[in-house]
């Protein structure tokens, strides 16, 4: 059975607006298993719990979402892979913004195409307001997921050092960025400090932004996943 990829919590809110108008639910309450890593000490756990509780209260007697929590990115992903292999996929689930994980599931042909739901609710589609993400999570014309949040990555800079180096404003292009870095280097100042211990998260973000914004080819490369992962 195909299941809905819930890259966003609002996906099942959308389902609640569309499906109750049909006879699919009948007279009995439908229970949906939602596999999520946003549990325990995860910073999004309180938000998810409240959202699900609010949804269940709004749809009492019709639809009930039950959170199946698995703490940790890798543990949750392995649980999803195991469920897919056993054909016991959850009804709803989240994924990281990771093209490799998405492609594995897309190729399994066990995920619902959401295009018809968005066409049936133009107002909901307008609220997404993120055509780039919709394109990212489209596979062979099928929309298999929608984003539930955006992450904004900030950069801190030292205005005093910028002024001493003759840099009047923060660079807005990569050419300007590297030119500013060269000026700081000539002053004997390290132009950039990135996290390189543990998981090198900020370094990975910086490189991803550099590659993804370098042009169409860079973005395509960034969205290309390994082909050796299959169910």
């Amino acid at each position: 059975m195909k299941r809905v990829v819930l890259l966003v919590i609002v996906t099942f809110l959308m389902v609640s607006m569309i499906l109750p108008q049909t006879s699919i639910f009948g007279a009995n309450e439908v229970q949906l298993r939602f596999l999520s890593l946003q549990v325990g000490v995860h910073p999004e756990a309180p938000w998810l719990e409240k959202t699900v509780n609010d949804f269940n209260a709004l749809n009492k007697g019709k639809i009930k979402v039950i959170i199946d929590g698995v703490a940790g990115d890798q543990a949750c992903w392995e649980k999803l892979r195991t469920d897919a292999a056993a054909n016991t996929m959850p009804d709803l689930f989240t994924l990281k913004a990771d093209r490799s994980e998405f492609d594995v599931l897309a190729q399994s042909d066990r995920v619902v195409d959401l295009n018809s739901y968005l066409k049936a609710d133009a107002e909901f589609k307008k609220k997404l307001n993120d055509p780039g993400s919709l394109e990212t999570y489209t596979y062979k014309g099928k929309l298999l997921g929608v984003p539930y949040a955006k992450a904004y990555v900030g950069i801190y800079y030292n205005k005093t050092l910028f002024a001493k180096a003759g840099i009047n404003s923060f660079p807005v292009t990569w050419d300007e960025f590297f030119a500013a870095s060269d000026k700081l280097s000539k002053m004997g100042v390290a132009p950039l400090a990135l996290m390189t211990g543990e998981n090198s998260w900020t370094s990975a973000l910086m490189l991803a932004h550099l590659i993804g914004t370098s042009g169409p080819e860079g973005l395509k490369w960034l969205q290309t996943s390994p082909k050796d992962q299959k169910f």
Side-chain angles (χ1 to χ4, degrees), residues 38 104 161 163 211:
Q38 287 104 328
V104 171
L161 291 177
I211 295 170

Side-chain angles (χ1 to χ4, degrees), residues 1 26 29 35 43 128 135 137 150 161 166 176 201 224 228:
M1 179 183 295
E29 180 182 73
L35 179 64
L128 290 176
E135 181 179 345
Y137 293 108
K150 283 186 177 182
L161 291 177
E176 292 178 2
W201 180 240
T224 300
D228 57 351

Side-chain angles (χ1 to χ4, degrees), residues 18 25 31-32 34 38 52 62 66 68-69 74 106 108 117 124 130 151 165 167-168 182 186 190-191 195 218 224 229:
I18 296 173
F25 289 110
Q31 294 190 351
L32 302 177
F34 178 20
Q38 287 104 328
V52 169
K62 298 179 181 179
I66 300 173
D68 181 7
Q74 190 59 35
S108 73
Y117 298 109
F124 175 78
D130 194 355
I167 306 168
N168 298 320
D182 288 341
K186 290 177 181 178
M195 175 183 176
T224 300
Q229 287 186 306

Side-chain angles (χ1 to χ4, degrees), residues 63-177:
I63 315 170
K64 183 177 182 179
V65 174
I66 300 173
I67 298 175
D68 181 7
V70 178
D73 289 348
Q74 190 59 35
C76 192
W77 171 236
E78 291 301 329
K79 169 64 174 172
L80 185 57
R81 285 170 58 90
T82 301
D83 283 354
N87 199 25
T88 57
M89 289 275 282
D91 301 287
L92 311 165
F93 56 92
T94 57
L95 285 179
K96 297 182 295 181
D98 187 325
R99 185 71 191 191
S100 62
E101 292 183 2
F102 170 79
D103 280 354
V104 171
L105 292 170
Q107 293 166 16
S108 73
D109 196 34
R110 294 176 183 171
V111 183
V112 168
D113 182 1
L114 300 176
N115 276 310
S116 61
Y117 298 109
L118 265 64
K119 288 180 181 178
D121 194 335
E123 187 63 26
F124 175 78
K125 184 176 181 179
K126 185 187 298 184
K127 289 179 180 179
L128 290 176
N129 192 29
D130 194 355
S133 293
L134 296 184
E135 181 179 345
T136 297
Y137 293 108
T138 296
Y139 180 80
K140 294 185 177 180
K142 297 179 180 180
L143 178 62
L144 303 182
V146 287
Y148 72 84
K150 283 186 177 182
Y152 292 91
V153 181
I155 297 178
Y156 294 90
Y157 66 101
N158 189 312
K159 291 184 177 181
T160 301
L161 291 177
F162 266 45
K164 288 182 179 180
I167 306 168
N168 298 320
S169 60
F170 191 83
V172 296
T173 67
W174 287 114
D175 287 341
E176 292 178 2
F177 178 85

